[in-house]
């Protein structure tokens, strides 16, 4: 393959970073002379190199982490090593927000200004950074630090939040929440911030009490040492996998089907049906993917589970692999979760060392191993087929369906995929039995459910409840509206969800009740706003979020998200095209086109919150925009 590389050469540091991921280049013959392993013009090529295309994202991470940006020379070296055309490699590098193809300071502070952080003073925080460091994106190699505004960092229960993306031989990313004065001083002074408190993993809550006997999915979270496999096993860890091996693959699938477990990522597809479909596919190999790329503004449940109970995710994914006949699993973790990545990496290493992953799991002849892959800042990669493309070293753009992943998913093979919450529910199903699990909650929404409470509540956090609780009761669990304020609105389901009013507080939070009301539980977001919050600012931020996060592959979403934001700004500024009614009618048409014609769920739900703001809150109605 003629790669048509430019003349830019990688530095020794860049080559070393790439070689850490891919291994040293191999020597070989080309033409009439042999090339040395130290000749960096040569790298293993042909089919072997192209088979490593799936390592493109990890190599880009390695370059970014080592030197702070991805240079033309570094990209050339990656292209040569993987036999990827430079244009394709560049297309991948520029797709993700955490990568930079332009020089920038070695430390970048990503300051969240998304909807939860807006309610906690994010705008004032951004003004402080601007006063100290200049406009967002300013800075130089001399100062060593810059800052920029960021979409949701998944730290909503401890807003406002920031992420320091650092580069260098011994540097590592760190998330901070809530950001306090000492953090700002450390950031703007160039560090050090290594010893500053990061506020990791708040303990989960449960209905009416903190008594752990009421917890099921989260019964170990916060009670075990997340770095100790022995402590995990002392608290019942790996009993579910032992039970699975006793039942056999078909028995495990039967228990999951008996439990009537529905996916917790938003689509609510029956988990047992999905697993059975993968298991029955004759094509080999099979893969199973844990989707931990939760990037929905307001969602943080997967992060809390991983940070506090990482071995549960490993055990649950191993059970899923066993039940579906998969020999390899992947955990795709959002790149903004450095602590979660550290704990998962440690847990995978420990379980592999102890024979709980590998060629003979638990001595039962079952082959299954897991790879951890980090995303790089792309909300779209939470969509399953976009995630597959990202894992394969491509731009994270969704695929058309059918074929569905159970037939042709990752690497074109049958693939199962569930999010973290769905998977860890399987541990409880195998502990108490599928039929017993089905008795929890309601007939059509079985089992416990995790809700992410944030915004204007007294005790933001992750709450585990039985399905069927009302919106009023789940807000009461979090202490109600902060400081005794008045409830103005609730955002249910995140940026892709809907605004509700105080009149909706008796809504039961089940799949069937929300569906009947034309709503969605989504990923379990319950974000509360009191009278102090400017809801117009919140809606505009949501519109900007979808405009920025659209992958641009399909016209309805690429154009519609831009036009939606433009129309909202015209309404706010009272500079409408024609009357306000005409502008609102245009918004409705944009909504219908995106919902009906977009390839994936991003475009199909990009107007949901705006639609509810217009219809339920009357934010942009005649005579008022606030």
């Amino acid at each position: 393959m003629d790669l048509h590389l430019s003349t830019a050469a990688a530095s020794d540091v860049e080559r070393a970073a790439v070689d850490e991921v891919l291994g040293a280049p191999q020597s070989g013959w080309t033409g009439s002379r042999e090339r040395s392993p130290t000749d960096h013009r040569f790298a293993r090529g042909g089919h072997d190199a192209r088979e490593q295309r799936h390592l493109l994202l990890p190599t880009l991470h390695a370059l970014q982490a080592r030197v702070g940006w991805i240079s033309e020379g570094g990209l050339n070296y990656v292209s040569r090593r993987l036999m990827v055309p430079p244009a394709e490699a560049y297309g991948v590098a520029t797709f993700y927000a955490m990568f930079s193809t332009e020089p920038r300071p070695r430390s970048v502070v990503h300051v969240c200004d998304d909807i939860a952080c807006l309610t906690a003073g994010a705008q004032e925080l951004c003004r402080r950074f601007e006063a100290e460091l200049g406009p967002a994106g300013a800075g130089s190699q001399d100062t060593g630090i810059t800052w920029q505004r960021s979409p949701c960092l998944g730290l909503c229960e401890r807003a406002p939040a920031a992420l320091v993306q650092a580069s260098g031989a011994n540097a590592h990313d760190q998330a901070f929440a809530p950001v306090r004065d000492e953090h700002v001083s450390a950031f703007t002074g160039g560090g050090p911030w290594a010893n500053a408190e990061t506020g990791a993993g708040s303990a989960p809550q449960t209905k009416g009490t903190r008594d752990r006997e009421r917890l099921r999915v989260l019964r170990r979270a916060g009670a075990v040492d997340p770095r100790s496999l022995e402590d995990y096993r002392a608290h019942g860890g790996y009993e579910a996998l032992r039970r699975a091996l006793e039942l056999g693959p078909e028995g495990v699938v039967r228990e999951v089907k008996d439990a009537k477990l529905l996916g917790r990522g938003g689509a609510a597809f029956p988990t047992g049906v999905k697993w059975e479909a993968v298991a029955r596919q004759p094509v080999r190999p099979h893969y199973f993917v844990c989707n931990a790329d939760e990037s929905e503004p307001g969602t943080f449940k997967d992060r809390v589970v991983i940070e506090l109970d990482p071995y549960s995710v490993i055990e649950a994914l191993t059970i899923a692999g066993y039940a579906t006949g998969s020999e390899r699993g992947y955990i795709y973790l959002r790149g903004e979760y450095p602590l979660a990545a550290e704990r998962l990496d440690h847990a995978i290493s420990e379980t592999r060392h102890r024979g709980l992953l590998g060629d003979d799991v638990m001595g039962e002849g079952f082959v299954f191993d897991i790879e951890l892959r980090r995303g790089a800042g792309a909300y779209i990669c939470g969509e399953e087929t976009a995630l597959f493309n990202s894992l394969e070293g491509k731009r994270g753009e969704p695929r058309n369906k059918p074929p569905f992943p159970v037939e042709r998913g990752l690497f074109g093979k049958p693939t199962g995929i569930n999010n973290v919450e769905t998977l860890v529910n399987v541990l409880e199903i195998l502990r108490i039995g599928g039929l017993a699990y089905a008795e929890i909650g309601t007939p059509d929404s079985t089992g416990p459910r995790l809700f992410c409470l944030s915004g204007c509540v007294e005790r933001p956090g992750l709450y585990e409840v039985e399905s069927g609780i009302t919106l009023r009761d789940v807000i009461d669990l979090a202490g109600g509206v902060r400081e005794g304020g008045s409830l103005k609105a609730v955002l249910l389901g995140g940026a892709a969800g809907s605004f509700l009013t105080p009149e909706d507080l008796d809504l039961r939070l089940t799949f069937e009740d929300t569906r009947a009301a034309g709503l969605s539980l989504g990923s379990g977001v319950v974000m509360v706003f009191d009278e102090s919050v400017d809801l117009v600012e919140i809606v505009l931020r949501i519109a900007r979020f979808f405009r920025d996060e659209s992958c641009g592959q399909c016209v309805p979403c690429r154009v519609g998200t831009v036009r939606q934001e433009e129309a909202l700004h015209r309404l706010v500024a009272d500079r409408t095209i024609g009357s306000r009614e005409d502008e609102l009618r245009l918004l409705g048409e944009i909504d219908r086109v995106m919902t009906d014609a977009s390839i994936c769920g991003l475009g199909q739900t990009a107007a949901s919150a705006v639609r509810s703001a217009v219809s339920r809150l009357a934010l942009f109605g005649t005579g008022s925009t606030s």
Side-chain angles (χ1 to χ4, degrees), residues 267-279:
F269 191 83
T271 303
V273 173
K274 180 186 293 186
W275 286 22
E276 185 175 56
V278 176

Side-chain angles (χ1 to χ4, degrees), residues 175 399 472 541:
R399 305 171 183 174
R472 183 190 309 275
R541 183 63 185 90

Side-chain angles (χ1 to χ4, degrees), residues 222 224-229 231 306-311 343 346-347:
V224 299
D225 180 353
R227 295 184 58 84
S228 172
L229 177 58
D231 199 18
I306 293 169
E307 289 178 353
L308 298 180
D309 194 16
Y311 290 99
R343 291 188 172 170
H346 175 79

Side-chain angles (χ1 to χ4, degrees), residues 459-475:
R459 295 188 298 273
L462 181 63
Y463 289 79
E464 178 183 324
V465 298
E466 291 187 7
S467 295
I469 191 171
T470 66
L471 180 60
R472 183 190 309 275
D473 287 342
V474 82
I475 293 173

Side-chain angles (χ1 to χ4, degrees), residues 302-350:
D302 291 353
R303 173 187 57 79
V304 173
V305 171
I306 293 169
E307 289 178 353
L308 298 180
D309 194 16
Y311 290 99
S312 69
V313 182
I314 305 302
E315 182 182 9
L317 181 53
T318 304
I319 292 169
Y322 175 69
T324 57
S326 305
E327 294 185 356
R328 180 161 294 275
Y330 290 89
I331 300 176
Y332 189 95
L333 178 70
R334 72 172 298 191
E336 296 91 341
Y337 285 176
L339 179 60
E342 174 191 324
R343 291 188 172 170
L344 276 176
D345 190 59
H346 175 79
I348 291 170
S349 177
E350 285 294 297

Side-chain angles (χ1 to χ4, degrees), residues 488 533-536 572 580 617-621 623-626:
K488 189 173 186 179
V533 177
D534 180 357
L535 291 180
V536 169
V572 171
R580 298 181 70 83
L617 305 182
L619 282 188
F620 304 96
S624 175
T625 61
S626 62

Side-chain angles (χ1 to χ4, degrees), residues 70-302:
I70 300 168
S71 72
E72 184 180 354
L75 205 59
N76 273 343
Y77 187 63
V78 171
S79 297
R80 183 183 297 114
R81 288 297 315 270
L82 295 177
M83 295 296 289
V84 175
E88 289 188 27
Y90 180 80
V92 172
T94 54
F95 185 82
Y96 298 94
M98 295 183 73
F99 295 149
S100 174
T101 55
E102 299 291 336
R104 68 181 187 183
R106 284 189 170 272
S107 295
V108 180
V109 184
H110 300 265
V111 182
C112 178
D113 71 346
D114 220 310
I115 48 181
C117 288
L118 278 178
T119 69
Q123 294 290 37
E124 175 58 30
L125 189 60
C126 289
R127 282 191 286 269
R128 292 183 62 187
F129 274 98
E130 187 168 17
E132 295 286 341
L133 297 176
S140 67
Q141 300 290 355
D142 295 332
T143 63
I145 189 167
T146 186
W147 77 284
Q148 61 187 46
R149 292 175 178 265
S150 170
C152 182
L153 294 171
L155 295 159
C156 314
E157 84 278 29
R158 299 195 306 277
L163 172 74
V164 177
Q165 188 181 7
S167 60
N170 298 310
H172 61 280
D173 297 350
Q174 279 185 270
F176 295 85
V179 177
R180 294 186 291 269
D181 289 343
E182 59 265 34
H183 294 138
V184 177
S185 298
F187 299 153
T188 57
W193 47 73
N195 296 321
E197 180 185 349
T198 60
S202 55
Q205 308 290 327
T206 186
K207 183 177 180 179
T209 177
R210 294 190 180 187
D211 185 352
R212 290 202 165 270
E213 292 180 359
R214 301 289 297 274
L215 289 169
R216 297 177 180 276
V217 173
L218 298 175
R219 61 194 178 93
R220 280 182 292 257
V224 299
D225 180 353
R227 295 184 58 84
S228 172
L229 177 58
E230 289 73 16
D231 199 18
Y232 177 72
R233 298 191 77 165
H235 285 77
Y238 280 93
E239 291 178 1
L241 179 57
R242 176 63 66 187
R243 175 63 176 154
L245 294 171
E246 293 171 356
L247 289 169
E250 291 183 358
V252 174
V253 171
R254 182 175 61 252
E255 291 290 340
V256 176
K257 292 181 72 175
D258 287 346
K260 298 193 287 187
L261 174 65
L262 300 180
R264 301 300 204 243
F269 191 83
T271 303
V273 173
K274 180 186 293 186
W275 286 22
E276 185 175 56
V278 176
R280 289 181 173 178
Q281 294 299 317
V283 177
R284 298 288 169 171
H286 296 176
Y287 297 100
F288 209 102
V289 176
C290 172
N291 182 352
D293 191 54
E294 59 171 4
S295 302
E296 182 71 36
T299 309
F300 49 86
K301 58 184 180 177
D302 291 353

